[in-house]
Amino acid sequence: MQRNQQRNQRRFTLLLAAALSAVLTMLAVAPAGAAGKPSRSNGAGNRVIFVHGHAPFGKHDCTKTFSAARKHFANKKWKGNLLTFGYYSGNTKCSANVPGSRDTAIKDVAKKFANYVAKNYTAKGIKVDVVAHSMGGLVVRAALHYTHQRAAGFPAKLYVEDVVTLGTPHAGITTSRAVLCGKARQCTDMKAGSSFLKALGSKMPSTTRNGNMSTDWTTISSYDDGTVTESSGIAGTANHEAQYKAGINHGELITTTTGSHNGRIKYSTKWSSFHKRVSPVEQARLAVYYHATT
């Protein structure tokens, strides 16, 4: 009797060990993409990826380009990593940089950006925020648009919680600006009425289909930009739109961090009157901190 009990106990112990081993094996080989989709929330804990714009000479110093903006976020106690993404072979000091030139189609840059985010963050169940300047906003817009479309070469899904674009030519640049830009592929892609812009549709991409996270968009433009018109900078319906009429030029949209500036914001479909507002960079910080920018 006692011998049978000992035998049964040993058998039970072996079965329990085998079951535990199987569970551990399943956990060890579970794909990174199996991580659950994060929920939307307010807070300063997200990684923020800053994406630069077009460079006339095909190179940026990412640290220098976003020095003021990143310092401002840090001074405001942002807890998440403040990263930079670049897409020119001549770039320096970027947190991540993919090879390319001014002749690399914006859609191809978008594909590289989408796969960078998918591999390093989405696959691990990590959501990110994005702040993009100028053409960088089109890179991000195309990345989400084609991911949602399940286009070839793009990832299956992306966890991008908030996107802010500053001085992005969502409706393109004028013919005169396109001439100044030159004949490089990125210049023709940005020209008003280009096939690239037409393919993006009239609304900023956000969807929960196919496992994607809904994305909250804020577009910011300036009447004194000088490169991108105030209307192009907010073209394409976004969740939130802001405009400045305060002498802020194209480059200053990502370097103006303090002070009160004459501006307005669109609530739903109605614009506020022009009044004193926070700086464009602070507006961007608030937009990625809150689900709804104010």
Side-chain angles (χ1 to χ4, degrees), residues 44-49 78 80-83 120-121 126-130:
N46 282 2
R47 291 165 176 80
V48 179
I49 304 174
W78 196 271
N81 292 339
L82 301 171
L83 309 170
N120 292 283
Y121 304 110
I126 300 170
K127 60 185 178 179
V128 300
D129 294 328
V130 181

mmCIF file of all heavy atoms in Angstrom, residues 44-49 78 80-83 120-121 126-130:
data_model
loop_
_atom_site.group_PDB
_atom_site.id
_atom_site.type_symbol
_atom_site.label_atom_id
_atom_site.label_comp_id
_atom_site.label_asym_id
_atom_site.label_seq_id
_atom_site.Cartn_x
_atom_site.Cartn_y
_atom_site.Cartn_z
ATOM 1 N N ALA A 44 3.742 61.392 -19.068
ATOM 2 C CA ALA A 44 5.035 61.741 -19.642
ATOM 3 C C ALA A 44 5.974 60.552 -19.693
ATOM 4 O O ALA A 44 7.183 60.722 -19.778
ATOM 5 C CB ALA A 44 5.672 62.870 -18.824
ATOM 6 N N GLY A 45 5.418 59.363 -19.676
ATOM 7 C CA GLY A 45 6.257 58.168 -19.645
ATOM 8 C C GLY A 45 6.598 57.587 -21.003
ATOM 9 O O GLY A 45 7.499 56.753 -21.109
ATOM 10 N N ASN A 46 5.891 57.990 -22.048
ATOM 11 C CA ASN A 46 6.154 57.433 -23.374
ATOM 12 C C ASN A 46 7.508 57.874 -23.929
ATOM 13 O O ASN A 46 7.974 58.977 -23.658
ATOM 14 C CB ASN A 46 5.082 57.885 -24.376
ATOM 15 C CG ASN A 46 3.793 57.109 -24.237
ATOM 16 O OD1 ASN A 46 3.658 56.254 -23.372
ATOM 17 N ND2 ASN A 46 2.836 57.426 -25.089
ATOM 18 N N ARG A 47 8.099 57.016 -24.734
ATOM 19 C CA ARG A 47 9.229 57.448 -25.548
ATOM 20 C C ARG A 47 8.698 58.407 -26.600
ATOM 21 O O ARG A 47 7.660 58.163 -27.204
ATOM 22 C CB ARG A 47 9.885 56.242 -26.228
ATOM 23 C CG ARG A 47 10.603 55.303 -25.267
ATOM 24 C CD ARG A 47 10.891 53.973 -25.942
ATOM 25 N NE ARG A 47 11.665 53.085 -25.080
ATOM 26 C CZ ARG A 47 11.156 52.356 -24.099
ATOM 27 N NH1 ARG A 47 9.856 52.404 -23.849
ATOM 28 N NH2 ARG A 47 11.929 51.572 -23.374
ATOM 29 N N VAL A 48 9.422 59.487 -26.828
ATOM 30 C CA VAL A 48 9.056 60.440 -27.882
ATOM 31 C C VAL A 48 10.125 60.360 -28.966
ATOM 32 O O VAL A 48 11.316 60.486 -28.682
ATOM 33 C CB VAL A 48 8.959 61.882 -27.349
ATOM 34 C CG1 VAL A 48 8.591 62.836 -28.488
ATOM 35 C CG2 VAL A 48 7.932 61.974 -26.229
ATOM 36 N N ILE A 49 9.692 60.140 -30.202
ATOM 37 C CA ILE A 49 10.615 60.078 -31.327
ATOM 38 C C ILE A 49 10.458 61.360 -32.141
ATOM 39 O O ILE A 49 9.373 61.649 -32.659
ATOM 40 C CB ILE A 49 10.337 58.854 -32.219
ATOM 41 C CG1 ILE A 49 10.398 57.560 -31.394
ATOM 42 C CG2 ILE A 49 11.338 58.795 -33.373
ATOM 43 C CD1 ILE A 49 9.986 56.321 -32.167
ATOM 44 N N TRP A 78 9.790 65.434 -18.473
ATOM 45 C CA TRP A 78 9.375 64.291 -19.287
ATOM 46 C C TRP A 78 10.192 63.068 -18.861
ATOM 47 O O TRP A 78 11.413 63.119 -18.777
ATOM 48 C CB TRP A 78 9.580 64.580 -20.775
ATOM 49 C CG TRP A 78 8.818 63.591 -21.618
ATOM 50 C CD1 TRP A 78 9.253 62.389 -22.074
ATOM 51 C CD2 TRP A 78 7.459 63.719 -22.036
ATOM 52 N NE1 TRP A 78 8.254 61.749 -22.768
ATOM 53 C CE2 TRP A 78 7.133 62.535 -22.757
ATOM 54 C CE3 TRP A 78 6.489 64.702 -21.866
ATOM 55 C CZ2 TRP A 78 5.874 62.331 -23.317
ATOM 56 C CZ3 TRP A 78 5.239 64.501 -22.425
ATOM 57 C CH2 TRP A 78 4.942 63.327 -23.143
ATOM 58 N N GLY A 80 9.951 59.722 -20.227
ATOM 59 C CA GLY A 80 10.321 58.783 -21.280
ATOM 60 C C GLY A 80 11.546 59.242 -22.045
ATOM 61 O O GLY A 80 11.923 60.419 -22.017
ATOM 62 N N ASN A 81 12.180 58.322 -22.757
ATOM 63 C CA ASN A 81 13.347 58.660 -23.572
ATOM 64 C C ASN A 81 12.963 59.630 -24.685
ATOM 65 O O ASN A 81 11.892 59.499 -25.299
ATOM 66 C CB ASN A 81 13.948 57.404 -24.197
ATOM 67 C CG ASN A 81 14.581 56.496 -23.160
ATOM 68 O OD1 ASN A 81 14.921 56.939 -22.073
ATOM 69 N ND2 ASN A 81 14.737 55.228 -23.488
ATOM 70 N N LEU A 82 13.835 60.582 -24.958
ATOM 71 C CA LEU A 82 13.624 61.561 -26.021
ATOM 72 C C LEU A 82 14.589 61.220 -27.148
ATOM 73 O O LEU A 82 15.775 61.522 -27.098
ATOM 74 C CB LEU A 82 13.870 62.972 -25.489
ATOM 75 C CG LEU A 82 12.965 63.370 -24.307
ATOM 76 C CD1 LEU A 82 13.415 64.696 -23.700
ATOM 77 C CD2 LEU A 82 11.502 63.446 -24.743
ATOM 78 N N LEU A 83 14.058 60.569 -28.180
ATOM 79 C CA LEU A 83 14.867 59.968 -29.239
ATOM 80 C C LEU A 83 14.767 60.760 -30.541
ATOM 81 O O LEU A 83 13.848 61.568 -30.719
ATOM 82 C CB LEU A 83 14.412 58.523 -29.475
ATOM 83 C CG LEU A 83 14.316 57.644 -28.219
ATOM 84 C CD1 LEU A 83 13.618 56.337 -28.546
ATOM 85 C CD2 LEU A 83 15.696 57.385 -27.643
ATOM 86 N N ASN A 120 11.305 47.668 -32.781
ATOM 87 C CA ASN A 120 11.899 48.070 -31.510
ATOM 88 C C ASN A 120 10.884 48.359 -30.409
ATOM 89 O O ASN A 120 11.234 48.294 -29.226
ATOM 90 C CB ASN A 120 12.785 49.297 -31.722
ATOM 91 C CG ASN A 120 14.016 48.980 -32.542
ATOM 92 O OD1 ASN A 120 14.978 48.396 -32.045
ATOM 93 N ND2 ASN A 120 13.987 49.346 -33.814
ATOM 94 N N TYR A 121 9.638 48.647 -30.789
ATOM 95 C CA TYR A 121 8.657 49.042 -29.782
ATOM 96 C C TYR A 121 7.345 48.260 -29.868
ATOM 97 O O TYR A 121 6.947 47.600 -28.916
ATOM 98 C CB TYR A 121 8.421 50.560 -29.863
ATOM 99 C CG TYR A 121 9.712 51.317 -29.705
ATOM 100 C CD1 TYR A 121 10.293 51.995 -30.774
ATOM 101 C CD2 TYR A 121 10.398 51.300 -28.493
ATOM 102 C CE1 TYR A 121 11.510 52.652 -30.637
ATOM 103 C CE2 TYR A 121 11.611 51.948 -28.343
ATOM 104 C CZ TYR A 121 12.169 52.624 -29.414
ATOM 105 O OH TYR A 121 13.375 53.247 -29.283
ATOM 106 N N ILE A 126 5.196 48.120 -26.632
ATOM 107 C CA ILE A 126 5.521 49.474 -26.174
ATOM 108 C C ILE A 126 4.928 50.500 -27.134
ATOM 109 O O ILE A 126 5.125 50.424 -28.342
ATOM 110 C CB ILE A 126 7.045 49.667 -26.086
ATOM 111 C CG1 ILE A 126 7.655 48.676 -25.096
ATOM 112 C CG2 ILE A 126 7.384 51.100 -25.698
ATOM 113 C CD1 ILE A 126 9.176 48.650 -25.132
ATOM 114 N N LYS A 127 4.217 51.488 -26.591
ATOM 115 C CA LYS A 127 3.677 52.567 -27.419
ATOM 116 C C LYS A 127 4.643 53.743 -27.434
ATOM 117 O O LYS A 127 5.429 53.932 -26.502
ATOM 118 C CB LYS A 127 2.316 53.013 -26.888
ATOM 119 C CG LYS A 127 2.343 53.539 -25.450
ATOM 120 C CD LYS A 127 0.940 53.857 -24.946
ATOM 121 C CE LYS A 127 0.992 54.334 -23.494
ATOM 122 N NZ LYS A 127 -0.356 54.672 -22.973
ATOM 123 N N VAL A 128 4.598 54.540 -28.492
ATOM 124 C CA VAL A 128 5.469 55.705 -28.614
ATOM 125 C C VAL A 128 4.654 56.916 -29.040
ATOM 126 O O VAL A 128 3.539 56.798 -29.558
ATOM 127 C CB VAL A 128 6.600 55.469 -29.645
ATOM 128 C CG1 VAL A 128 7.469 54.292 -29.227
ATOM 129 C CG2 VAL A 128 6.039 55.263 -31.052
ATOM 130 N N ASP A 129 5.232 58.103 -28.805
ATOM 131 C CA ASP A 129 4.712 59.357 -29.332
ATOM 132 C C ASP A 129 5.692 59.855 -30.383
ATOM 133 O O ASP A 129 6.885 59.520 -30.336
ATOM 134 C CB ASP A 129 4.575 60.415 -28.238
ATOM 135 C CG ASP A 129 3.525 60.053 -27.198
ATOM 136 O OD1 ASP A 129 2.534 59.402 -27.563
ATOM 137 O OD2 ASP A 129 3.700 60.430 -26.019
ATOM 138 N N VAL A 130 5.213 60.673 -31.306
ATOM 139 C CA VAL A 130 6.081 61.205 -32.363
ATOM 140 C C VAL A 130 5.858 62.704 -32.504
ATOM 141 O O VAL A 130 4.716 63.170 -32.541
ATOM 142 C CB VAL A 130 5.813 60.521 -33.717
ATOM 143 C CG1 VAL A 130 6.739 61.087 -34.786
ATOM 144 C CG2 VAL A 130 5.977 59.009 -33.613
#
